[in-house]
Amino acid sequence: MSTATETGTENSLERLAPEALKTARRLSGTILLNGKLTGASTDKMIDVIHPGNLQSIGQVPQCGATDVNAAVEAADTALTSWRRVPARERGRMLQKAADAIEAEAELVAQVLALDTGNALRTQARPETASSYDLLRMFGGLAGELKGETVPNMSPDVLHYSTRDPIGVIAGIIPWNAPLFLFMAKIAPAITAGNTIVIKSAEQAPICVLFLAEIINRFLPPGVLNVISGYGEECGKPLCEHPTVRKVTFTGSLPVGQAIAAYAAPKLATVTLELGGKNPSIVMPDADLDLAIPGIIDGMRYTRQGQACTAGSRVFVHKDIYDEVVKGVVARLGDIKLGNPLDEATDMGAIISSEQFDRTKKYMDIARNTPGMRVLFGGEEPTDPYLRGGNFYPPTLLDGLNLDNKVCQDEIFGPVATVLPFGSFDEMIEQANDTPFGLSANLWTRDLSRALEYVERIEAGFVQVNQCAAPRSNVSYGGIKMSGLGKEYALDSMLHHFTSSKTVLINRGTPAPGV
Ligand code: NAI
Ligand code: MG
């Protein structure tokens, strides 16, 4: 690993991202309520910290029940007319919003990098692009909000179903891919004729507000509302609000369980996208030119491992173990850790001191385990600029048993473990030995093994010979404790953001005299 940046003023945000910093300060202190950026009912603020140098880039209101009520009321008022706007007209508005985001993409990406510490070139720009792509896609799918006709109950009875909006939706999003996940909630919800209140994550709220500001220009007031605040104080009353008929959430397992419980008494439905402890598996016959870079991409090192799809348990067949480890370690050395706003940087900073400490805590557990080897990384950098932020290098370990906490818990940091295997059956059993079931990657040239793995692996998002990130039109979600429901494709809009009405119309006899 090398460092992309030196210390000194060349690292300052004022120099690297002046417009983005100005935008963050302009949005500071606001929420999006009923079509307007405005202050909240509270004076309490949450400081928003750039993880690269721990500088404050702005503040957002620490909203509570009063602001929740105002936002839900705005969404409820807007619902009456929004649901009656023809579906394709709604879709066209969102597609215009997608064009507007694309036109401002560089600034959006820079604000995203400021907020999250994700590297501009490898993460923030691609995330921005996939966000407006998702909005454009759902806008274009508006005409697919179709019901069905059912034949032949009786020749006189027309029997059909409609797909209607559910009503006011609550979306609770995390900080790790805030723009894409914001879009994954609002794009299908709004296209389907619902209105929505989003609670942003306290760690990365400003980029969400900026994107919402752009989209709001194309929507009637109140269709999209964005509030900020903490989970218990703001997220909980939002989920529990009697007018909210559906909650869509991405984040941790315990919070997902809490949200399901908030929604249960009023029988509101939930979509939950939770964590993973995903296997990346290399078979002895694998094409290592695909598998070696694949392990690194699959671990999402350039997003500091802060991805639910991170392939953090790397199962490698013992016959090729040394070769694979050597190849991966050699490539990890090329990843440049540095200032997120610097073009040369591959890997930015961990979102918060809380998540930074979490990574270090798991490294302490690993270090206290006899037989553990650090194959790469494992030490905080010494470069003075990097010491001033939440930087941790890509880290690869082995010598840990599967039951070690490092191999069981979702670390959500740049730490992966390699586990050797001899038998396919045993490996599949181990790969499935986790409460989670989100994603899995396997590299092999053997079609038969590949198909057997697809059948036996317990995961909702399964890849062979690649490890792409989820994106538009790829239906994505987990099984077991990784969640409920799928997102990002047409089926997510139809299944999770509409309700259905069954209609029976008896035509009777024609009125007389005509
Ligand atoms: P979290 O699940 O606590 O936070 C996610 C969102 O939920 C935030 O907007 C937060 O304010 C909100 N929230 C928290 N408590 C809530 C409550 N009681 N009611 C309603 N909303 C609530 O995640 P956190 O604390 O940021 O990260 C902890 C761990 O969670 C990570 O280390 C990672 O393992 C996992 N995580 C997984 C994500 C994924 O993409 N699947 C995303 C973020 C975190
Ligand atoms: Mg939390």
Side-chain angles (χ1 to χ4, degrees), residues 201-509:
E202 53 270 33
Q203 300 86 346
I206 291 182
C207 57
V208 171
L209 211 49
F210 187 31
L211 207 63
E213 181 191 34
I214 298 172
I215 298 168
N216 179 65
R217 298 208 297 260
F218 301 88
L219 294 174
V223 170
L224 170 62
N225 305 276
V226 177
I227 56 177
S228 47
Y230 294 116
E232 282 277 329
E233 188 181 15
C234 182
K236 183 171 188 263
L238 175 59
C239 298
E240 288 180 336
H241 196 293
T243 304
V244 168
R245 293 304 312 152
K246 154 122 212 162
V247 185
T248 172
F249 170 74
T250 300
S252 65
L253 171 59
V255 175
Q257 289 167 319
I259 282 176
Y262 304 150
K266 57 180 176 177
L267 300 183
T269 57
V270 292
T271 307
L272 304 175
E273 205 273 271
L274 310 175
K277 192 70 186 177
N278 311 296
S280 272
I281 304 158
V282 188
M283 296 294 287
D285 67 315
D287 179 347
L288 296 189
D289 290 340
L290 290 178
I292 288 172
I295 288 168
I296 295 169
D297 289 351
M299 181 49 207
R300 315 291 186 232
Y301 277 119
T302 55
R303 216 195 309 157
Q304 301 80 256
Q306 300 170 142
C308 42
T309 54
S312 52
R313 293 182 302 151
V314 184
F315 292 92
V316 179
H317 192 273
K318 59 181 172 32
D319 291 353
I320 49 161
Y321 192 84
D322 291 341
E323 189 184 354
V324 169
V325 165
K326 200 169 144 213
V328 171
V329 165
R331 279 170 177 264
L332 289 179
D334 295 336
I335 295 179
K336 286 191 166 59
L337 192 61
N339 187 320
L341 277 310
D342 187 331
E343 291 294 331
T345 295
D346 297 313
M347 178 175 174
I350 291 176
I351 186 78
S352 62
S353 55
E354 197 182 347
Q355 291 298 119
F356 193 39
D357 291 346
R358 183 181 170 95
T359 292
K360 290 188 280 188
K361 182 191 91 180
Y362 280 100
M363 280 307 296
D364 287 342
I365 295 173
R367 270 198 204 86
N368 288 327
T369 308
M372 188 281 293
R373 292 193 302 172
V374 176
L375 302 170
F376 194 86
E379 295 291 341
E380 282 179 68
T382 51
D383 170 276
Y385 164 74
L386 298 178
R387 294 293 292 186
N390 302 330
F391 291 96
Y392 204 88
T395 295
L396 193 68
L397 314 174
D398 76 355
L400 293 169
N401 288 333
L402 202 67
D403 59 2
N404 192 292
K405 277 183 83 60
V406 176
C407 302
Q408 285 293 322
D409 298 356
E410 181 179 53
I411 299 175
F412 230 61
V415 179
T417 315
V418 202
L419 299 142
F421 74 91
S423 126
F424 180 80
D425 286 337
E426 238 173 68
M427 176 277 295
I428 288 285
E429 212 169 283
Q430 293 181 345
N432 286 337
D433 182 16
T434 158
F436 294 115
L438 191 51
S439 73
N441 313 310
L442 172 132
W443 283 269
T444 185
R445 290 186 171 100
D446 180 341
L447 180 62
S448 171
R449 277 297 191 217
L451 291 175
E452 187 181 354
Y453 141 88
V454 169
E455 185 192 321
R456 291 173 62 183
I457 199 76
E458 294 167 358
F461 186 61
V462 176
Q463 301 185 66
V464 176
N465 292 327
Q466 64 159 45
C467 54
R471 62 193 63 201
S472 301
N473 208 33
V474 176
S475 191
Y476 173 74
I479 60 171
K480 291 160 74 178
M481 299 302 263
S482 289
L484 274 181
K486 292 234 166 180
E487 297 192 281
Y488 314 161
L490 174 62
D491 54 337
S492 95
M493 178 166 76
L494 299 182
H495 296 160
H496 304 309
F497 293 105
T498 69
S499 62
S500 142
K501 201 173 271 160
T502 302
V503 186
L504 301 172
I505 297 179
N506 191 320
R507 70 181 198 175
T509 47

Side-chain angles (χ1 to χ4, degrees), residues 19-224:
E19 280 306 307
L21 207 52
K22 237 195 267 171
T23 303
R25 290 185 178 141
R26 177 175 64 76
L27 295 167
S28 198
T30 66
I31 57 175
L32 179 66
L33 180 67
N34 202 22
K36 285 202 179 66
L37 285 174
T38 152
S41 73
T42 174
D43 292 336
K44 286 195 274 180
M45 292 286 159
I46 301 172
D47 221 10
V48 184
I49 303 294
H50 172 62
N53 64 0
L54 310 189
Q55 179 182 335
S56 167
I57 59 163
Q59 297 183 319
V60 289
Q62 186 183 325
C63 298
T66 309
D67 301 295
V68 165
N69 292 342
V72 172
E73 195 186 316
D76 196 31
T77 304
L79 181 66
T80 313
S81 45
W82 182 244
R83 61 184 299 153
R84 303 201 66 222
V85 174
R88 294 200 59 231
E89 183 54 32
R90 295 194 299 255
R92 272 191 291 275
M93 294 182 200
L94 292 179
Q95 290 186 313
K96 282 185 196 153
D99 293 344
I101 298 164
E102 184 171 12
E104 286 191 68
E106 181 58 22
L107 186 55
V108 173
Q110 290 192 18
V111 176
L112 173 59
L114 276 186
D115 235 3
T116 58
N118 287 347
L120 180 62
R121 177 175 53 79
T122 63
Q123 297 303 320
R125 284 193 194 117
E127 186 185 332
T128 302
S130 53
S131 302
Y132 60 72
D133 184 43
L134 198 61
L135 188 59
R136 200 170 271 153
M137 182 197 77
F138 276 113
L141 289 173
E144 296 302 314
L145 291 155
K146 300 165 184 165
E148 292 171 327
T149 53
V150 183
N152 229 7
M153 171 180 261
S154 138
D156 289 339
V157 175
L158 174 60
H159 180 179
Y160 68 100
S161 65
T162 61
R163 286 203 178 272
D164 303 327
I166 295 173
V168 176
I169 312 271
I172 311 252
I173 57 172
W175 43 265
N176 59 325
L179 295 189
F180 186 75
L181 296 172
F182 168 75
M183 212 60 104
K185 312 303 185 202
I186 71 147
I190 293 178
T191 302
N194 305 284
T195 57
I196 191 161
V197 179
I198 292 283
K199 189 199 83 65
S200 55
E202 53 270 33
Q203 300 86 346
I206 291 182
C207 57
V208 171
L209 211 49
F210 187 31
L211 207 63
E213 181 191 34
I214 298 172
I215 298 168
N216 179 65
R217 298 208 297 260
F218 301 88
L219 294 174
V223 170
L224 170 62

